[in-house]
Amino acid sequence: MIPDIISSLHGSFKPGAHSELRAQRSLARRVVLLGGNLVGNTRQDSQGVSARVYSNGVYGFASAADLSQDAARKALDTASQNALFLDDKVRPGKGALPQIAHGSLPRQADFNDVEQKRYLDFTQALDSYISGKYPGLASRTVVATADSMEKQLLTSDGYAAHTLAPRSYVYVILNAVTDKGMPVEVFRSFGGRGSFDTVFTDPAALYGEVDRLYEHLMNKREGTFAKAGVATCILSGELSGILAHEAVGHTVEADLVLGGSVAGPMLGQMVASPLVSMTDFAHTAFDQTAPLPVYVDDEGVLAEDAELIRNGKLVGFMLNRELGRHYNMRPQGNARAFAFNDEPLIRMRNTAIHPGPNKLQDMIAGTEEGYYLMYTNNGQADTTGEFMFGVTLGYEIKNGKLGQAIFDTTISGVAFDMLKTVDMVSDQVTWASSGFCGKKQPMPVGVGGPELRCQVMIGGR
Amino acid sequence: MTREQQTTTAALQALERLGAQQASAQAHTSRKTEFNLENGQFTLLRTTLDHSLALQAFVDQRRGTVSGNSFEPEAIAAAARDCFAAARDGQSDPAWELAREGGGSFDTGAFTLDRELLFNRTQEMLDAIKAEYPKVVLESVSAQHVAREGSYLNSHGVAYDSRAGSYGVFLMFSGHEGGKSSSFNHSSFECADLSRPFLDQGSLRQNLADAQKQIHTQPTKGKFEGTVVFTPDCLGSMLYELVSNYAADSVLLDGTSLWKDALGTQVADPRLTLSFKPLDPRMVSAERYTQEGFLSRDYDLIERGVLKQFMLSAYAANKTGHSRAPNTSHAIIVAPGQTALKDILSTIDKGLLVSRYSGGASGAGGEFSGVAKNSFLIENGQLGPAVSETMISGNLAGMLNSIRGISRETMEDGSSSLPWLAVDGITISGK
């Protein structure tokens, strides 16, 4: 664990200036086996200290790659000078930030940073299983990865905290070639919160998942292109989670609202079917610990859930302290920084659409023609709410039954139009947490949702 | 000795003492100064002092790598131990290689920051945008200077030292009028000095002007096959996707590249020459040596339509029997064509001018489908209205053989030089 170098530095804060000090250590471990060749075998550590100081509507920030009290004091001093430089140049004259609750959270427990051999042994065992059972694959890739973010935070007027968030994943990528020579690929990630040795105890526990992935690959090898145009689609929980994050979540981040996102003027209006509710959960969702829990943010704000859509109505934004004042709303712990040398930005945490009353099998059975879209490899959206998701696995639905698999495609639409077409919502929420959200800085986030039936534009031929 | 040289020397000695038969060490220090703006207002001044240390060790041709960010002696020793352990427990592979020759010292760009002028140039840009593009809202802007010093050393005696500095500007913005807004767009560029106004660089003026024209859009009707003209900004992202799919390490190592047997053959229209040229004077503080310790040299990936070179590391080159790429930079250059952009547009019956593509990663086959963002309809040789909810789909490799025209105009942003490129046979679909 990082040494406690900042909890005794409260006296270094200048009176009246909101100030933050953060010491941070981030770890990443990675092993990559491509076709049995060890092409990646690396461990990354980075650590340092940063300070941010507020002055009349602008911030100064400074950091150094050094975990020491001297470095912390120096960063605080430089951050103060930076804030004064900018305040003097632009004179925003906004005064002090509104008060927030203060206190401290107990230190979180350490985790087992396992040696590299553990990742190597796990990937080699899983790769051996795949190559032995499925020798006809065009190629295979197995990746083991783990990362953790440990932060010690001290603020002048908010919460002090020590937080530690390890997560571990295994990725399997399988490739085959169609009869016409076209490569096809399927990809799946497994894992979640925790150190690698607690999340993955035995490679054999993944064999069943690999077998299912191989079946999908064989189906996709015999697949067909989706027909371009608007179609009835059932989005898996994985896709509805990405939808919640990309197409809705970003538009209700207050910095993007301020920049003119489509959601700004729609607060209090119906933006979705009454079947749709959505929340950015802080640490507990649907009575369970959320995939990547956040208890306090990097401005020292105690984290609580941010309710965004209630029964189809847009009811809230995600905020930091500065924009909480601007919109006269309470910040709820969304200001987070990725690395020690990054400033806090408004970020999502665990964003999910709530489950509904329907069963997936009934949703498929009740669809005459359309697609069941299962896996995605990425998603993008812009401030108009227009979104795009890559779909890497899906099946046709014909007369209420699953048909042929489809090749890679893309779906797109305008979130607040598309969400109004939702007419069925399943009762099961699926979470994903292996990815990073990109917004100047990367950030681990959880996304989740139930299956949704909706009308959406699909790319194809 | 610089602190970076002391660090690489200490790290290499530590790895060799542990028993590494081959090893390399890289150390960098970077100082960044960055103004951040939200909604067109200055919000943050950020200064960071960062170190990076990257070690690589080979034990019986088993390779391990670690990276850290401390130059302290105990941190260097710990990194060396971790690196050695990772190599010892790894898998032997004769294909791993470190450079056996090379070396040099490089000093590029503007190492010393002029903070006052950086602020003034940024303020000047804001004032000009407000006056000249009044419908544009600047969602976020960053203007920064980065100064880097580095050292590379390997056990074959190859040594590099570098000192580089550059300024960089990034803007994200959209057009707004009467409750309507365009999709967001962005522009960025790098420059070696502050002699020119920011607004005159890269694609800034073009994209800001377009944002005002993209506030009011029309959905495309139906589905048709048409011609797509990619702007330089969009072309860059499409070409990176293309070369990743067909010419990069992973797809040649796993054999899924459609170009795996195409070296020396025609893979594109003969008018296309695509190069990676970090030494081109238009590239700002680009790569001078590779992570494997090789001196960077310019090369053509595609010359007059013929595939001349894959983008391979030394490892992947040894594995596949092809040659190593002479650099690993992203300094992409497409040679300009002979025709003016307006003359290319005048030949198009129906299509799109696409400034940004929002699509999923294309599969190994190169099939792509995604949303045409910040785009305009082209009809009967004329630019029409901005479009919304419009998808384009096609095949990346097929695109290169369906080129209608390459503009003689190019756009330079300090890390690329690209023309406008028109491609036939793209499926365009709307509502």
Side-chain angles (χ1 to χ4, degrees):
Chain A
M1 292 177 98
I2 54 178
D4 180 3
I5 57 163
I6 61 171
S7 64
S8 62
L9 294 179
H10 210 283
S12 302
F13 293 146
K14 286 188 178 158
H18 164 67
S19 305
E20 301 153 5
L21 263 178
R22 177 162 40 95
Q24 183 170 334
R25 184 175 182 220
S26 301
L27 309 179
R29 281 74 179 96
R30 190 174 179 84
V31 163
V32 182
L33 275 177
L34 195 161
N37 296 305
L38 181 64
V39 296
N41 178 19
T42 191
R43 297 170 76 85
Q44 291 180 301
D45 294 18
S46 75
Q47 57 186 30
V49 65
S50 67
R52 192 172 71 146
V53 175
Y54 181 86
S55 178
N56 290 318
V58 292
Y59 282 102
F61 180 95
S63 69
D66 183 1
L67 275 181
S68 69
Q69 284 204 330
D70 279 351
R73 285 197 191 92
K74 198 171 172 187
L76 197 54
D77 191 44
T78 307
S80 295
Q81 291 171 28
N82 287 347
L84 290 174
F85 175 90
L86 208 48
D87 188 11
D88 183 55
K89 286 282 186 192
V90 299
R91 298 195 178 281
K94 291 186 178 175
L97 288 168
Q99 289 293 304
I100 55 170
H102 63 277
S104 65
L105 295 182
R107 280 179 81 83
Q108 291 189 325
D110 202 359
F111 77 108
N112 185 18
D113 176 23
V114 299
E115 60 182 7
Q116 197 74 356
K117 190 170 187 313
R118 179 107 184 192
Y119 302 101
L120 289 160
D121 290 347
F122 193 96
T123 49
Q124 281 165 349
L126 193 55
D127 185 68
S128 296
Y129 173 77
I130 296 169
S131 62
K133 188 162 182 183
Y134 303 115
L137 288 169
S139 79
R140 63 190 192 277
T141 305
V142 180
V143 180
T145 177
D147 58 47
S148 72
M149 202 185 280
E150 181 185 4
K151 296 176 176 177
Q152 191 188 8
L153 178 75
L154 183 71
T155 60
S156 55
D157 58 344
Y159 264 75
H162 168 268
T163 59
L164 181 55
R167 55 179 197 157
S168 303
Y169 300 92
V170 167
Y171 302 92
V172 176
I173 304 162
L174 305 179
N175 291 75
V177 179
T178 67
D179 290 341
K180 291 183 177 171
M182 186 175 84
V184 289
E185 180 178 294
V186 290
F187 155 89
R188 203 81 189 115
S189 68
F190 310 100
R193 180 182 66 252
S195 59
F196 195 84
D197 58 332
T198 57
V199 176
F200 298 106
T201 52
D202 181 3
L206 293 183
Y207 293 169
E209 298 280 5
V210 169
D211 292 341
R212 276 187 283 282
L213 192 61
Y214 180 80
E215 281 177 38
H216 285 309
L217 179 70
M218 291 301 104
N219 293 337
K220 193 171 172 180
R221 194 168 164 268
E222 308 297 325
T224 184
F225 286 99
K227 287 182 195 140
V230 176
T232 301
C233 292
I234 297 172
L235 309 186
S236 68
E238 187 175 306
L239 266 86
S240 72
I242 290 277
L243 178 81
H245 176 97
E246 293 287 350
V248 180
H250 281 304
T251 68
V252 292
E253 290 171 329
D255 49 346
L256 298 185
V257 172
L258 191 67
S261 91
V262 66
M266 302 183 89
L267 194 66
Q269 296 180 20
M270 292 297 287
V271 295
S273 151
L275 297 169
V276 175
S277 293
M278 181 179 142
T279 300
D280 180 55
F281 294 97
H283 46 76
T284 307
F286 312 122
D287 301 322
Q288 294 189 325
T289 301
L292 304 173
V294 174
Y295 297 95
V296 64
D297 77 3
D298 294 323
E299 293 186 333
V301 174
L302 203 59
E304 55 185 272
D305 297 345
E307 190 181 16
L308 303 172
I309 296 175
R310 186 191 308 146
N311 300 327
K313 184 189 284 187
L314 184 65
V315 294
F317 299 149
M318 288 171 280
L319 304 148
N320 57 15
R321 291 187 64 179
E322 171 73 23
L323 293 179
R325 172 172 66 181
H326 181 87
Y327 287 107
N328 196 25
M329 295 175 176
R330 190 178 69 254
Q332 294 171 301
N334 287 92
R336 301 198 288 149
F338 178 65
F340 73 90
N341 54 5
D342 286 327
E343 74 280 17
L345 303 175
I346 296 174
R347 307 306 297 258
M348 282 171 262
R349 298 159 304 184
N350 302 279
T351 315
I353 294 175
H354 295 214
N358 303 113
K359 298 285 181 197
L360 173 60
Q361 59 268 33
D362 296 336
M363 293 167 72
I364 294 170
T367 303
E368 195 172 323
E369 186 171 357
Y371 298 97
Y372 175 40
L373 306 177
M374 297 175 69
Y375 298 167
T376 176
N377 57 354
N378 75 339
Q380 299 166 13
D382 77 27
T383 47
T384 60
E386 190 171 13
F387 66 86
M388 175 294 307
F389 306 135
V391 176
T392 56
L393 185 69
Y395 287 86
E396 293 178 328
I397 302 174
K398 286 190 173 166
N399 301 317
K401 290 193 167 66
L402 292 183
Q404 245 181 312
I406 57 171
F407 297 132
D408 290 353
T409 186
T410 302
I411 57 169
S412 67
V414 175
F416 291 157
D417 294 343
M418 178 276 223
L419 283 173
K420 287 176 183 153
T421 71
V422 171
D423 63 356
M424 295 182 97
V425 180
S426 86
D427 57 359
Q428 291 289 321
V429 169
T430 303
W431 285 99
S433 61
S434 62
F436 291 88
C437 169
K439 180 184 170 184
K440 190 180 181 199
Q441 311 156 13
M443 181 59 72
V445 290
V447 301
E451 282 88 6
L452 300 179
R453 192 173 76 169
C454 57
Q455 301 292 313
V456 69
M457 198 190 305
I458 189 163
R461 290 186 172 175
Chain B
M1 254 188 172
T2 64
R3 193 168 178 213
E4 292 73 30
Q5 288 168 331
Q6 290 170 2
T7 302
T8 52
T9 302
L12 203 60
Q13 287 171 350
L15 287 168
E16 288 175 344
R17 272 198 304 275
L18 287 163
Q21 289 126 1
Q22 297 182 76
S24 69
Q26 283 192 79
H28 285 93
T29 296
S30 68
R31 291 174 182 78
K32 182 190 284 185
T33 301
E34 181 182 77
F35 290 103
N36 284 259
L37 298 90
E38 285 179 10
N39 198 30
Q41 307 288 322
F42 284 90
T43 54
L44 177 82
L45 170 56
R46 174 169 171 253
T47 53
T48 64
L49 171 61
D50 295 315
H51 300 303
S52 69
L53 174 65
L55 305 183
Q56 185 175 208
F58 296 92
V59 179
D60 299 330
Q61 278 300 118
R62 297 191 297 260
R63 175 180 178 258
T65 60
V66 303
S67 69
N69 72 336
S70 174
F71 290 174
E72 296 301 318
E74 58 274 24
I76 295 171
R81 283 195 300 274
D82 271 1
C83 187
F84 180 79
R88 182 196 59 210
D89 295 332
Q91 179 180 294
S92 181
D93 194 330
W96 292 112
E97 183 185 350
L98 280 178
R100 290 182 178 273
E101 55 186 40
S105 187
F106 306 99
D107 197 334
T108 55
F111 189 75
T112 305
L113 161 73
D114 186 337
R115 187 172 72 170
E116 198 70 23
L117 187 52
L118 178 61
F119 177 86
N120 290 341
R121 282 289 188 212
T122 309
Q123 184 66 60
E124 171 192 62
M125 176 181 73
L126 298 182
D127 294 342
I129 290 172
K130 199 175 282 182
E132 297 177 42
Y133 307 100
K135 295 176 190 169
V136 166
V137 171
L138 293 171
E139 292 168 25
S140 66
V141 176
S142 67
Q144 64 173 224
H145 175 266
V146 182
R148 298 181 199 85
E149 289 174 277
S151 167
Y152 172 95
L153 200 57
N154 78 19
S155 51
H156 301 310
V158 175
Y160 296 97
D161 299 302
S162 61
R163 215 169 83 115
S166 63
Y167 292 93
V169 175
F170 172 85
L171 293 88
M172 191 169 119
F173 50 85
S174 49
H176 293 257
E177 186 177 50
K180 292 213 164 243
S181 70
S182 72
S183 292
F184 76 79
N185 204 352
H186 45 75
S187 272
S188 61
F189 65 87
E190 252 188 288
C191 55
D193 58 51
L194 296 170
S195 60
R196 294 169 59 207
F198 289 162
L199 200 50
D200 294 341
Q201 301 193 48
S203 58
L204 262 65
R205 280 194 184 280
Q206 181 75 55
N207 288 354
L208 289 163
D210 285 351
Q212 298 201 126
K213 296 177 192 159
Q214 290 159 354
I215 298 169
H216 303 284
T217 59
Q218 294 180 10
T220 302
K221 296 268 192 296
K223 183 170 83 169
F224 61 94
E225 198 171 276
T227 303
V228 165
V229 180
F230 293 104
T231 67
D233 279 342
C234 191
L235 179 63
S237 60
M238 297 301 287
L239 290 178
Y240 284 126
E241 179 77 12
L242 184 145
V243 295
S244 300
N245 259 288
Y246 301 135
D249 272 12
S250 59
V251 291
L252 285 150
L253 283 170
D254 71 13
T256 56
S257 166
L258 292 181
W259 285 357
K260 64 185 176 191
D261 301 315
L263 209 58
T265 69
Q266 199 83 29
V267 296
D269 184 290
R271 290 170 291 176
L272 184 78
T273 294
L274 189 166
S275 315
F276 288 92
K277 295 185 171 180
L279 306 184
D280 186 290
R282 293 169 293 181
M283 304 297 122
V284 177
S285 67
E287 176 187 285
R288 290 294 180 267
Y289 55 90
T290 73
Q291 299 279 319
E292 292 169 315
F294 296 98
L295 200 62
S296 298
R297 302 193 186 286
D298 294 345
Y299 74 95
D300 295 331
L301 188 111
I302 296 171
E303 184 189 6
R304 294 179 189 178
V306 176
L307 181 65
K308 304 294 281 190
Q309 174 69 52
F310 292 122
M311 303 169 68
L312 295 179
S313 63
Y315 170 79
N318 291 337
K319 260 331 220 191
T320 58
H322 297 297
S323 63
R324 175 184 61 79
N327 72 69
T328 56
S329 79
H330 283 184
I332 190 168
I333 292 179
V334 170
Q338 306 289 322
T339 316
L341 174 62
K342 66 176 176 48
D343 294 332
I344 295 172
L345 292 173
S346 71
T347 68
I348 298 169
D349 292 334
K350 199 163 185 190
L352 292 176
L353 174 71
V354 178
S355 295
R356 189 162 68 88
Y357 168 76
S358 174
S362 58
E367 295 294 327
F368 69 87
S369 65
V371 184
K373 311 288 285 188
N374 308 97
S375 300
F376 296 95
L377 190 67
I378 305 169
E379 271 186 313
N380 303 318
Q382 300 287 324
L383 271 186
V387 297
S388 58
E389 299 185 68
T390 302
M391 294 189 82
I392 56 173
S393 51
N395 183 278
L396 291 168
M399 250 175 38
L400 296 190
N401 287 300
S402 307
I403 292 175
R404 174 179 286 251
I406 302 173
S407 74
R408 68 181 179 215
E409 301 93 336
T410 58
M411 195 275 288
E412 273 90 37
D413 62 5
S415 56
S416 66
S417 173
L418 296 163
W420 281 253
L421 187 133
V423 178
D424 291 331
I426 302 291
T427 301
I428 298 168
S429 54
K431 280 189 163 176

